[in-house]
Amino acid sequence: HFLLFKLFHLLGLHDPEGAMIVIRLLHALWSLVVVRTGYRIAAELGGAEIAWRIGLLLALFYFMPFLAVRNLVEVACIPFLMLGVRSLMRQDGTPWRSALVAGIWLGLAMNVRFQTMLFAAGAGSGLLLERRWREVVPFALGVALPIVLLQGGIDLFIWGRPFAEIGEYVRYNAANATTYFDQPWYNYLLVLAGIFLFIGPFVLFGYFRRWRPLVPWLAVFAFLAFHSWHPNKQERFILPIVPLVLVL
């Protein structure tokens, strides 16, 4: 966004409202990645008919247009997560290459929203449990690559030390776990059950009923489990996994 606003100024666009219209349009285009990728994941899991329904539901809910076009890190990271899961599930090509690409996507998601490291950790655990040994190391390297180059490099440039922002973020949240909200552990289950309106309870039941495919299921579960354990529960925190819960 910093570079984008620099471009606006070079082009003579100084009106904040005009600049935000462009940014909203870019976010809208970015959100369409979730619909397309969710359709492809659903096609592999349940066939064309199920994929068609999933595509329509993702287009209908995704994810509430007023959220999809806003500068919310919890929403802007979702396409990266979906692309990462799609790469992990690809049956064509070389498995280690797909795992490497998936790791890069999830590493980019972590650059946008740090908490998605739990998602990546869950996916990596799924690879280990399924004994997909050839994919574990490329996946880990893929995750580390954007973190080291982008997050570490930018922090080194701005603050003089790598990973300064992540370190401060973790310390602040650990010290203020109950400062803002302290909700019960089942709060996010209620959010997920209600977020899809009348089909919400069925979506949640379907997710917990079938633990397959294990890698994306465990990625979602790790993210949900940590946030359910952590006292500070703001509804927007759970948004990164909402489309994938629907697909699964």
Side-chain angles (χ1 to χ4, degrees):
H1 280 86
F2 171 79
L3 296 176
L4 190 60
F5 272 89
K6 284 290 186 182
L7 177 62
F8 289 161
H9 291 164
L10 287 175
L11 296 175
L13 177 59
H14 300 283
D15 176 42
E17 185 173 349
M20 288 311 299
I21 288 175
V22 176
I23 289 175
R24 297 278 189 255
L25 289 173
L26 292 174
H27 276 264
L29 291 172
W30 181 230
S31 74
L32 296 180
V33 173
V34 175
V35 180
R36 179 181 175 84
T37 310
Y39 174 88
R40 290 182 175 272
I41 295 172
E44 292 188 13
L45 294 178
E49 184 178 353
I50 293 296
W52 176 245
R53 296 176 186 174
I54 287 293
L56 289 176
L57 287 171
L58 285 174
L60 176 65
F61 287 111
Y62 190 74
F63 187 71
M64 294 183 283
F66 74 94
L67 290 179
V69 300
R70 296 186 69 83
N71 302 35
L72 280 174
V73 290
E74 293 86 359
V75 178
C77 71
I78 298 176
F80 289 127
L81 298 180
M82 300 292 284
L83 289 167
V85 169
R86 167 67 176 155
S87 294
L88 284 172
M89 294 179 59
R90 292 182 73 93
Q91 301 299 319
D92 56 332
T94 309
W96 71 264
R97 186 176 300 169
S98 297
L100 177 65
V101 172
I104 291 173
W105 286 128
L106 296 187
L108 289 170
M110 289 168 59
N111 280 327
V112 177
R113 180 64 172 165
F114 295 147
Q115 281 89 337
T116 55
M117 68 178 65
L118 302 160
F119 189 98
S125 300
L127 292 176
L128 290 172
L129 290 173
E130 290 188 340
R131 300 182 179 180
R132 294 162 62 176
W133 311 120
R134 295 182 179 180
E135 300 173 61
V136 173
V137 173
F139 176 75
L141 290 175
V143 171
L145 192 62
I147 299 300
V148 172
L149 292 181
L150 294 178
Q151 192 66 52
I154 292 173
D155 282 0
L156 182 64
F157 177 75
I158 296 177
W159 305 109
R161 58 189 174 94
F163 311 116
E165 188 178 352
I166 293 179
E168 292 301 321
Y169 187 85
V170 171
R171 277 192 288 271
Y172 178 84
N173 280 276
N176 294 274
T178 59
T179 301
Y180 303 99
F181 294 93
D182 188 359
Q183 302 291 343
W185 66 268
Y186 53 82
N187 184 70
Y188 285 130
L189 294 177
L190 296 178
V191 173
L192 290 172
I195 211 163
F196 292 112
L197 305 178
F198 60 91
I199 67 169
F202 304 103
V203 171
L204 201 58
F205 173 78
Y207 167 75
F208 282 107
R209 178 174 176 266
R210 186 173 182 269
W211 298 6
R212 290 291 184 275
L214 183 62
V215 172
W217 189 93
L218 202 55
V220 170
F221 182 78
F223 190 90
L224 175 62
F226 175 83
H227 283 80
S228 296
W229 168 80
H230 198 265
N232 184 8
K233 296 180 180 64
Q234 300 178 43
E235 283 73 13
R236 62 187 173 90
F237 290 171
I238 208 65
L239 291 176
I241 63 170
V242 167
L244 197 55
V245 168
L246 175 63
V247 172
L248 293 175

